[in-house]
């Protein structure tokens, strides 16, 4: 397994990016200003994008694992990589996600804790309803973890 930084042509991973954020113009808002990583294990299995949000906050904007590779620890490996890579450079790693029974437990298992939410984020910013595990996403839930050296 190898994790490498993607410096150019990030859109070649659009299929992965859209797994986590299904509207391309929303991906476009952070992709070029973000730092992208892919996890390879006999082919690309996962990707993530992080952005500097200022005030010591690094935000995980997008993380996705190929459907056939889910449940094998690739997502957790990427989060662990981010923690190792950015501890000492940022005070907080945060992620915003829908209040979904599949994503919230994943982030909590990685060490994130609920911090705040943005009401109606998904209904206000997406041009169609977003569903995950049969639940319509409405509010954006932010979770954070401290990156203490």
């Amino acid at each position: 397994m190898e994790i490498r930084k993607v410096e150019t042509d990030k859109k070649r991973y659009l299929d992965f990016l859209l797994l986590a954020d299904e509207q391309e113009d929303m991906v476009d808002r952070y992709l070029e200003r973000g730092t992208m990583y892919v996890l390879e294990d006999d082919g690309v299995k996962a990707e993530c994008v992080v952005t500097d949000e200022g005030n010591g906050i690094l935000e995980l904007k997008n993380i996705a694992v190929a459907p056939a590779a889910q449940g094998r620890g690739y997502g957790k490996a990427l989060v662990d990589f981010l923690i190792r890579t950015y501890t000492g450079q940022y005070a907080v790693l945060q992620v915003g996600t829908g209040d979904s029974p599949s994503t919230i437990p994943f982030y909590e298992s990685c060490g994130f804790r609920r911090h705040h939410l943005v009401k109606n984020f998904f209904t206000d910013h997406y041009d169609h309803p977003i569903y995950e595990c049969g639940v319509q996403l409405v509010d954006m839930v932010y979770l954070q973890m401290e990156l203490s050296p």
Side-chain angles (χ1 to χ4, degrees), residues 6-138:
V6 177
E7 305 276 3
T8 59
D9 193 22
K10 296 174 188 174
K11 280 267 188 127
R12 73 180 177 261
Y13 298 105
L14 187 61
D15 288 347
F16 274 93
L17 293 159
L18 292 175
L19 289 172
D21 195 343
E22 63 183 64
Q23 191 167 304
E24 187 173 351
D25 70 324
M26 294 297 284
V27 171
D28 289 341
R29 292 181 180 195
Y30 57 79
L31 186 59
E32 287 311 312
R33 72 181 179 92
T35 303
M36 181 180 210
Y37 297 96
V38 293
L39 183 151
E40 295 177 337
D41 188 9
D42 194 23
V44 175
K45 300 295 192 238
E47 64 74 31
C48 69
V49 178
V50 292
T51 59
D52 182 336
E53 296 300 310
N55 298 319
I57 297 173
L58 180 71
E59 186 166 335
L60 176 54
K61 288 286 195 181
N62 189 304
I63 183 168
V65 177
Q70 291 177 1
R72 297 188 192 160
Y74 293 126
K76 176 91 165 71
L78 276 173
V79 171
D80 290 345
F81 168 81
L82 295 173
I83 293 166
R84 285 192 314 273
T85 302
Y86 291 102
T87 292
Q89 297 178 53
Y90 290 87
V92 171
L93 176 60
Q94 84 174 5
V95 62
T97 189
D99 198 355
S100 162
S102 65
T103 56
I104 299 287
F106 166 74
Y107 290 118
E108 289 176 338
S109 75
C110 291
F112 288 90
R113 297 291 164 249
R114 287 178 186 252
H115 188 263
H116 66 281
L117 56 88
V118 176
K119 298 293 267 177
N120 302 316
F121 180 87
F122 290 97
T123 52
D124 289 349
H125 292 91
Y126 285 79
D127 63 12
H128 63 285
I130 309 281
Y131 290 90
E132 204 166 284
C133 298
V135 175
Q136 183 177 354
L137 304 184
V138 177

